[in-house]
Amino acid sequence: MSHLLRLLLFLIAVSPLTIRAAEPQPRPAAAGIASAHPLATQAGHEILARGGNAFDAAVAVAAALAVVEPYNSGLGGGGFFLLHRARDGFEIMIDARERAPLAATRDMYLDRDGRPVPGRSIDGALAAGIPGIPAGLVHLAEKYGRLPLKQSLAPAIRLARDGFPVTVQYGKMCLRQHDRLEHFPETARVFFHDGFIYGVGEKLRQPELARALERLAAAGRKGFYDGDVARRLVDGVRAAGGIWSLKDLADYRVIEREPVRGVYRNVRVTSAALPSSGGVVLMQMLNLLQGFDLDAMDKPRRDQIVIEAMRLAYRDRARYLGDADFVNVDVARLIDPAYAAKLREEMPALKPVSTAPAKTGEGSNTTHFSVVDRDGNRVAATLSLNTPFGSGFMPPGTGIVLNNEMDDFSVKPDAPNTYGLTGSDANAIAPGKRPLSSMTPTFLENGETVAVLGTPGGSRIISMVLLATLEFSHGRGGPKDWVSLPRFHHQYSPDVVAYEASAFDESERHALVRRGYRLEALRGGYGNMQLVVWNKKTGRVEAVSDPRGEGLGQVK
Ligand code: GLY
């Protein structure tokens, strides 16, 4: 071998690239799953124990949640799955968001005078977008999973067919929705006992839903978007005044999207891309806050700065954001720290905006779960029907409650939706378009620790993820503190700071009022954050579930 060749081989052998490749990748000492229901968390661990990876577990958890939390998500809904594959660091967001039916029109929820008809985008078949979760589960299993879809859906099928004991939360949701669901006889038949609410511990069986899940398991996407289930869905929707067609279902596809990425202090943030506003708004708020020495401030001052960052970022949400497959959104500019630096100049001059009275958000609709497996694969998934039990409508014989995600469109520019959010033309309704969401499945990573998190809560989702991100990034407290932290929220319009009672003490409340803020004290808590944290140095994994909910974080 020539001297030159030997030298070349030596250089290749000791090159930094080769040395890095040879380094063992850190691995978690255990797998962690946190979800809003213990049976869903257990379904995920069952699939891991059978040899599945985090992506198979995500299929199992999502499908189980569809059965045991039928008010928050399900086959009739949509959502976003954020994935990290350990083997090569590949990250992607699976957009399984609902689409507007092809017969949808911009003004479909307005009366002849151009005013939104109350309830039309919320109640009944006309409020439902074309569901994405079934396609999301199939895609996850086929492209990223190790196990056949059939195996990962088995725990959910069992829970639907054999029944599960209903919880306090199930009772509360049914009680709150009782009068509304009475208008939807099929839904009431499935979720009530001859019109009465199930007692805690009584078994709810959902044989029609079990059959729909079995179809999905046997036939993949065709089991939902084609054939018998599709026909029943379309016939049911049309008979109830909706506008779905078989083509709507046949055409539905999940879309793989590059997540939104950014850096706050020393933390790498990876979050949801459009059509969720989550990642853009989160990154904008963090960029705005990057210009302040928050650690040097007392709590009242710090909170005020955070409120102002929320105000500005939610303002841009209303002005610019929508489905980027339909409208031009300059995401790169919006999440550019240089743009935040310019916006920061506006902060001291911000004035209350005069808006029509509206709600400031919502607490717990939707669901979230987080998974880390023993290889370090991760999933953060936020899934929704929109408001509790979605549209309330269940096409007969399907066992599937349909979403009312069409209300997440701006049904008319500047008219507030159910969360009080307003929007522009960017989020106007168009056939096949996806409504703007606030769901914010997120990964945080500093040199040592990985956090996988998210929460339900309508427009308040993004501000909740922000508050937890700040605690993580500034090294305050640990995982349990991050999910239980008292919360506050501002969404630009209406100009109100909504807060949990313990978020501000009396002197802070007075200080905020003196500075001109309108405060809205919320009864009870909101959100239901699910978090898995993996310390790459020690291997330790923690899975924690928000104490406001009845979920379970479990490490095995
Ligand atoms: N439907 C709630 C959201 O997507 O933000």
Side-chain angles (χ1 to χ4, degrees):
M1 206 184 293
S2 80
H3 179 68
L4 203 63
L5 188 61
R6 267 204 308 269
L7 184 67
L8 196 68
L9 287 175
F10 173 76
L11 286 176
I12 290 170
V14 300
S15 80
L17 212 71
T18 324
I19 290 168
R20 261 206 304 278
E23 269 173 18
Q25 290 296 309
R27 283 165 64 101
I33 302 179
S35 89
H37 198 293
L39 292 172
T41 299
Q42 285 157 14
H45 274 297
E46 177 183 327
I47 290 307
L48 291 178
R50 289 181 194 281
N53 60 16
F55 313 119
D56 299 304
V59 172
V61 177
L65 288 169
V67 177
V68 299
E69 268 198 333
Y71 34 85
N72 280 340
S73 70
L75 297 188
F80 301 97
F81 299 84
L82 186 64
L83 316 185
H84 172 98
R85 189 168 58 197
R87 136 160 81 82
D88 52 4
F90 173 76
E91 287 180 337
I92 202 79
M93 184 190 85
I94 298 177
D95 167 3
R97 181 71 160 163
E98 296 89 340
R99 291 175 80 198
L102 296 169
T105 58
R106 184 187 165 96
D107 296 338
M108 62 190 278
Y109 299 114
L110 306 184
D111 66 15
R112 280 204 197 120
D113 300 322
R115 287 182 302 236
V117 179
R120 196 181 274 180
S121 58
I122 292 282
D123 297 314
L126 193 62
I130 306 304
I133 287 181
L137 300 185
V138 174
H139 188 79
L140 259 177
E142 288 180 352
K143 187 152 180 198
Y144 298 100
R146 259 190 225 139
L147 302 181
L149 177 67
K150 200 173 175 161
Q151 201 168 347
S152 303
L153 289 179
I157 294 171
R158 207 172 55 225
L159 288 165
R161 189 191 52 221
D162 302 345
F164 71 96
V166 306
T167 59
V168 173
Q169 185 62 10
Y170 179 91
K172 274 192 201 161
M173 294 304 250
C174 286
L175 188 64
R176 281 188 213 144
Q177 291 283 313
H178 186 269
D179 294 352
R180 176 174 179 248
L181 294 188
E182 292 271 271
H183 295 108
F184 302 102
E186 180 78 348
T187 317
R189 178 184 70 76
V190 169
F191 296 123
F192 300 147
H193 233 343
D194 300 325
F196 292 100
I197 294 167
Y198 280 66
V200 174
E202 272 191 89
K203 261 196 176 176
L204 174 72
R205 291 186 178 82
Q206 300 172 77
E208 292 93 348
L209 181 59
R211 276 200 292 279
L213 284 162
E214 278 163 355
R215 283 281 161 81
L216 193 65
R221 57 165 286 124
K222 284 195 167 169
F224 182 90
Y225 294 94
D226 203 351
D228 182 49
V229 173
R231 262 192 307 280
R232 279 178 196 256
L233 289 169
V234 171
D235 289 351
V237 163
R238 295 190 82 90
I243 53 173
W244 289 17
S245 65
L246 284 171
K247 181 166 167 50
D248 276 314
L249 289 169
D251 282 1
Y252 185 88
R253 292 288 181 280
V254 295
I255 301 174
E256 292 208 339
R257 300 192 190 270
E258 274 302 311
V260 166
R261 297 175 211 278
V263 176
Y264 176 71
R265 293 165 66 94
N266 63 339
V267 175
R268 201 164 76 89
V269 180
T270 308
S271 192
L274 291 172
S276 179
S277 63
V280 174
V281 176
L282 176 65
M283 230 24 256
Q284 260 195 281
M285 294 189 289
L286 291 169
N287 285 341
L288 283 162
L289 294 171
Q290 199 116 239
F292 297 92
D293 186 0
L294 295 181
D295 289 330
M297 293 175 188
D298 60 13
K299 182 174 178 301
R301 179 70 189 140
R302 196 168 68 220
D303 288 350
Q304 198 194 338
I305 301 282
V306 173
I307 290 166
E308 291 309 324
M310 291 177 182
R311 183 201 299 272
L312 277 173
Y314 275 85
R315 185 184 71 177
D316 277 3
R317 182 194 194 280
R319 285 183 179 172
Y320 304 122
L321 301 190
D323 181 348
D325 291 343
F326 284 73
V327 289
N328 282 327
V329 184
D330 193 347
V331 170
R333 173 174 160 266
L334 291 173
I335 62 169
D336 185 342
Y339 173 66
K342 252 182 74 195
L343 274 189
R344 256 195 310 272
E345 289 167 16
E346 284 189 50
M347 283 173 93
L350 287 173
K351 300 250 169 14
V353 285
S354 91
T355 49
K359 290 200 264 178
T360 54
E362 207 288 329
S364 307
N365 317 335
T366 305
T367 197
H368 177 87
F369 67 86
S370 297
V371 185
V372 175
D373 70 16
R374 278 174 177 262
D375 292 325
N377 297 308
R378 314 168 206 157
V379 180
T382 313
L383 311 173
S384 186
L385 291 170
N386 197 20
T387 64
F389 290 104
S391 66
F393 178 69
M394 179 185 284
T398 63
I400 298 168
V401 196
L402 301 186
N403 68 85
N404 56 1
E405 224 74 62
M406 291 295 284
D407 189 67
D408 273 345
F409 279 117
S410 179
V411 303
K412 182 182 176 177
D414 299 329
N417 74 356
T418 194
Y419 304 112
L421 289 169
T422 56
S424 67
D425 269 353
N427 190 30
I429 302 170
K433 192 174 173 186
R434 298 176 188 222
L436 189 62
S437 170
S438 299
M439 292 189 260
T440 316
T442 297
F443 302 145
L444 305 175
E445 191 163 2
N446 58 26
E448 185 167 331
T449 311
V450 171
V452 179
L453 72 157
T455 177
S459 56
R460 295 187 198 139
I461 290 174
I462 322 172
S463 63
M464 286 187 257
V465 173
L466 171 72
L467 295 178
T469 301
L470 291 175
E471 297 304 290
F472 175 92
S473 310
H474 289 262
R476 291 189 289 262
K480 282 193 181 134
D481 307 299
W482 305 335
V483 300
S484 50
L485 179 79
R487 294 167 177 150
F488 56 90
H489 170 77
H490 194 292
Q491 61 182 46
Y492 174 63
S493 172
D495 190 8
V496 171
V497 182
Y499 68 99
E500 291 182 330
S502 52
F504 308 135
D505 65 17
E506 202 179 328
S507 74
E508 184 169 359
R509 281 200 302 277
H510 286 146
L512 286 169
V513 170
R514 266 200 312 278
R515 290 191 183 114
Y517 289 96
R518 239 170 71 211
L519 302 184
E520 181 193 354
L522 299 169
R523 274 182 288 132
Y526 66 89
N528 193 7
M529 188 167 279
Q530 310 298 328
L531 168 69
V532 178
V533 175
W534 164 35
N535 184 312
K536 283 184 162 183
K537 280 213 175 121
T538 64
R540 182 165 182 228
V541 174
E542 289 171 82
V544 290
S545 184
D546 198 319
R548 296 164 184 84
E550 56 182 23
L552 174 69
Q554 196 175 41
V555 172
K556 274 191 175 179

